[in-house]
Amino acid sequence: MRMRSGHFVMADEGWPGCAKSLKGVILDMCGVLYDSGEGDGVAIPGSIEAVRRLKESDLQLRFCTNETQATREKFVAKLQRLGFDISASEVFPPAPAAIAVLKDRSLRPHLLVHDGLLPEFDGVDKTNPNCVIIGDAAEYFSYQNLNEAFRVLIGLEKPVLFSLGQGKYYKETDGLKLDVGVYMKALEYACDLKAEVIGKPSPTFFQSVLNDMGLQSHEALMIGDDLLNDVGGAQHCGMKGVQVRTGKYRPSDERHPTVMADGTVDNLAQAVELILNQRRR
Amino acid sequence: MRMRSGHFVMADEGWPGCAKSLKGVILDMCGVLYDSGEGDGVAIPGSIEAVRRLKESDLQLRFCTNETQATREKFVAKLQRLGFDISASEVFPPAPAAIAVLKDRSLRPHLLVHDGLLPEFDGVDKTNPNCVIIGDAAEYFSYQNLNEAFRVLIGLEKPVLFSLGQGKYYKETDGLKLDVGVYMKALEYACDLKAEVIGKPSPTFFQSVLNDMGLQSHEALMIGDDLLNDVGGAQHCGMKGVQVRTGKYRPSDERHPTVMADGTVDNLAQAVELILNQRRR
């Protein structure tokens, strides 16, 4: 910021300078830690070590994901098999948040989600549904299944649609795949409604992670591969947001008309190296 | 319209008074003539006779449909089997219009359409596609097929998406079914683009039907079951638009916030009765 006196000062430390005053880091998972695909997918080079280094530092660390193809337990077990030192209590996915909302508002869902996520909803009353929840159902997004969800919604006097994220697409080892947000828009248009997003970039969702760390938003940094949902969502809550050039990153992200990352790095390993270097000074 | 002198005059005849000065009628097909479903579907009571009466009148008659599950020939043959006196040259569906646009702009499509429509595109170069066309693919709207269309679009420097209609849903004999517009919105969101609609309610499409009749828009009336695409689309072009209470009609259409039909009738038979009565006076 240029002061009137003509002196230059750093009014608000940018990236990576801001790392000095950080108290916590939140990491996106798919596209930052690993690329999904056949079997467990593959770890992104340097990410296993980067997570280990963050854990050894004085920073708090949480994982915030829109992953909805498996229960939290199975998802974390996969990450552990890939070599990551991560426990379930550190991971925040949308499904548990959705279940809390259902309970709070006495709603019974019709589920259009991946088969792998169904056990998460075992204890939830799904009879005579009065809302619809969609997740990243992938191949379960058949015409028949989408039509079924549509008919539930159009038959309700006050249709309520929850979307576990609003991502457009993600990268698997064999290419880009359409994400839940695309089907959310489809149902929004079909039923003339606006979905409630549970997961990133919902401020409520980010806030629940900050609450768990006991931090203010300006004390935390989000690192993700999704410019809108990770970086933009975190910035909207007052956090810093850094994008990695892995996962679904595309060069055009760096000239996006409305969202500008605080920093862009080649990968998580580089981000962690820069953060820890700043804090050593 | 109230004149300054205090006298009342009919400046612009409403429905059904406008029928006196009409020169042509355009009919939507599915939901007006018949309900689709198992096999050929079923004719809506009174519609076969209503079409016959219009043909015997001095009014010109055309059929304007967003039907894209079959070639025009097969589609018309189905209507004939149901008992309608209709020939292919009177029927305007989106696919032939789309093929004209492809030729005009030297585009090679990737097709996400119903198998039954594919023969319509037999003579079209589909190698190395530089645009995507989606129609009402119904059960062919699998996750895999939508993902494939997405990958073609996202791989193009200037992605072009044509949608054969933008309907939200239609009624088959066993219930409501999602229509192409829902998947158009999905791909628009995924690829950050705006589709070009070929078919109703595109003004170009309505105009081609008017041109074929050699009529001005104020000389023609559109009758359909879709408030937005039939009635609203026709009104946007300067035609009158009447909605039937058959097909996808829902009572809430009669209190729609932005589109108000010039008239609402129980079915096509009633509309034709009112039109011909007016013209006899």
Side-chain angles (χ1 to χ4, degrees):
Chain A
M1 182 196 271
R2 185 159 188 178
M3 306 296 281
R4 256 178 279 180
S5 65
H7 293 282
F8 289 90
V9 295
M10 295 296 279
D12 184 23
E13 286 263 29
W15 166 261
C18 66
K20 276 181 207 165
S21 56
L22 282 181
K23 294 187 178 170
V25 171
I26 305 175
L27 300 185
D28 175 37
M29 302 180 80
C30 181
V32 175
L33 303 184
Y34 74 107
D35 282 321
S36 62
E38 281 294 304
D40 290 340
V42 290
I44 291 171
S47 287
I48 295 170
E49 170 73 4
V51 168
R52 196 186 53 70
R53 291 183 71 191
L54 282 174
K55 286 212 157 178
E56 287 171 3
S57 77
D58 59 341
L59 288 162
Q60 291 204 59
L61 179 63
R62 295 292 185 280
F63 301 89
C64 187
T65 174
N66 276 3
E67 163 67 38
T68 58
Q69 290 203 354
T71 61
R72 172 158 48 185
E73 281 60 36
K74 289 212 165 171
F75 178 57
V76 170
K78 176 173 87 171
L79 272 288
Q80 290 168 344
R81 281 196 300 276
L82 287 171
F84 289 97
D85 173 17
I86 296 178
S87 64
S89 63
E90 299 164 323
V91 175
F92 290 76
I99 290 167
V101 170
L102 292 173
K103 202 175 166 187
D104 192 46
R105 290 163 56 179
S106 302
L107 290 169
R108 299 175 307 277
H110 169 89
L111 299 174
L112 174 46
V113 300
H114 199 281
D115 257 18
L117 191 68
L118 286 176
E120 200 84 77
F121 290 88
D122 270 350
V124 173
D125 181 9
K126 294 176 282 285
T127 57
N128 192 20
N130 53 8
C131 71
V132 167
I133 295 183
I134 58 169
D136 170 22
E139 63 266 37
Y140 297 92
F141 277 130
S142 64
Y143 182 67
Q144 195 186 322
N145 287 347
L146 198 67
N147 214 55
E148 216 173 287
F150 159 68
R151 286 184 186 185
V152 171
L153 284 171
I154 205 86
L156 294 172
E157 203 181 335
K158 288 175 79 176
V160 177
L161 171 64
F162 295 105
S163 186
L164 305 182
Q166 61 177 28
K168 297 179 173 199
Y169 53 84
Y170 51 89
K171 196 190 157 199
E172 293 211 333
T173 45
D174 63 344
L176 297 178
K177 299 278 172 86
L178 288 169
D179 198 358
V180 62
V182 168
Y183 291 88
M184 172 191 87
K185 288 289 170 187
L187 288 174
E188 283 186 344
Y189 178 70
C191 305
D192 262 325
L193 56 76
K194 186 98 186 89
E196 301 180 36
V197 175
I198 299 178
K200 297 177 286 184
S202 155
T204 321
F205 192 62
F206 281 118
Q207 193 56 53
S208 70
V209 185
L210 289 170
N211 291 350
D212 190 64
M213 295 195 284
L215 297 184
Q216 303 281 305
S217 61
H218 68 271
E219 299 169 319
L221 168 77
M222 173 83 205
I223 302 175
D225 65 331
D226 187 316
L227 185 70
L228 299 178
N229 294 299
D230 295 327
V231 173
Q235 288 174 335
H236 185 68
C237 291
M239 289 185 259
K240 290 273 187 272
V242 165
Q243 190 181 19
V244 288
R245 293 194 187 95
T246 54
K248 79 179 72 171
Y249 163 86
R250 305 178 80 215
S252 59
D253 290 345
E254 295 190 50
R255 40 180 202 274
H256 193 276
T258 57
V259 178
M260 190 169 80
D262 292 286
T264 309
V265 293
D266 287 342
N267 49 41
L268 179 63
Q270 190 184 51
V272 170
E273 175 70 17
L274 285 165
I275 290 168
L276 298 183
N277 267 345
Q278 283 293 322
R279 298 174 72 82
R280 254 187 242 116
R281 291 185 180 184
Chain B
M1 180 195 273
R2 185 158 189 180
M3 306 296 282
R4 256 177 281 180
S5 66
H7 293 286
F8 289 90
V9 295
M10 297 293 281
D12 184 23
E13 286 263 31
W15 167 260
C18 67
K20 276 182 207 165
S21 57
L22 281 181
K23 295 188 176 169
V25 171
I26 305 175
L27 300 185
D28 176 36
M29 302 179 80
C30 181
V32 175
L33 304 183
Y34 74 107
D35 282 320
S36 61
E38 280 296 302
D40 289 340
V42 292
I44 291 171
S47 288
I48 294 170
E49 170 73 4
V51 168
R52 197 187 52 72
R53 291 183 72 192
L54 282 174
K55 285 212 158 179
E56 288 170 4
S57 77
D58 59 342
L59 287 163
Q60 291 204 60
L61 179 62
R62 295 291 185 280
F63 301 89
C64 187
T65 175
N66 276 2
E67 163 66 38
T68 58
Q69 289 202 355
T71 62
R72 171 157 49 184
E73 280 60 36
K74 290 213 164 172
F75 178 57
V76 171
K78 175 174 87 172
L79 272 289
Q80 290 169 344
R81 282 195 300 275
L82 287 172
F84 290 96
D85 173 17
I86 296 177
S87 64
S89 63
E90 299 163 323
V91 175
F92 291 76
I99 290 168
V101 170
L102 292 173
K103 201 174 166 187
D104 193 46
R105 289 162 58 179
S106 302
L107 290 169
R108 301 175 306 277
H110 169 89
L111 299 173
L112 174 47
V113 300
H114 198 282
D115 256 20
L117 191 68
L118 286 176
E120 201 83 80
F121 291 88
D122 268 351
V124 173
D125 180 9
K126 295 176 281 285
T127 55
N128 191 18
N130 52 9
C131 72
V132 167
I133 294 183
I134 58 169
D136 170 21
E139 63 266 36
Y140 297 92
F141 277 130
S142 63
Y143 182 67
Q144 195 186 321
N145 286 348
L146 198 67
N147 214 54
E148 216 173 287
F150 159 69
R151 286 184 187 185
V152 170
L153 284 171
I154 205 86
L156 294 171
E157 202 181 336
K158 288 175 79 176
V160 177
L161 171 64
F162 295 105
S163 187
L164 305 182
Q166 62 178 30
K168 296 179 173 201
Y169 52 85
Y170 52 89
K171 196 190 157 200
E172 293 213 332
T173 45
D174 62 344
L176 297 178
K177 301 278 171 87
L178 289 169
D179 198 0
V180 61
V182 169
Y183 291 88
M184 173 190 86
K185 287 289 169 186
L187 288 174
E188 283 187 344
Y189 178 70
C191 305
D192 261 326
L193 55 76
K194 186 99 188 89
E196 301 180 36
V197 176
I198 298 179
K200 298 177 286 185
S202 153
T204 321
F205 192 63
F206 281 117
Q207 193 56 53
S208 70
V209 185
L210 289 169
N211 291 349
D212 190 64
M213 295 193 284
L215 296 185
Q216 303 282 305
S217 60
H218 68 270
E219 299 170 320
L221 169 77
M222 171 84 206
I223 302 176
D225 66 332
D226 187 317
L227 185 70
L228 298 178
N229 294 299
D230 294 329
V231 173
Q235 288 175 334
H236 186 69
C237 290
M239 289 186 258
K240 291 273 187 270
V242 165
Q243 190 181 19
V244 287
R245 294 194 187 93
T246 53
K248 78 179 74 172
Y249 163 85
R250 305 178 81 215
S252 60
D253 289 346
E254 295 190 49
R255 41 180 201 275
H256 192 275
T258 57
V259 178
M260 191 169 80
D262 292 286
T264 310
V265 292
D266 287 342
N267 49 41
L268 180 63
Q270 190 184 50
V272 170
E273 176 70 17
L274 286 166
I275 291 168
L276 298 182
N277 268 346
Q278 282 294 322
R279 299 174 71 81
R280 255 185 243 116
R281 292 187 181 183

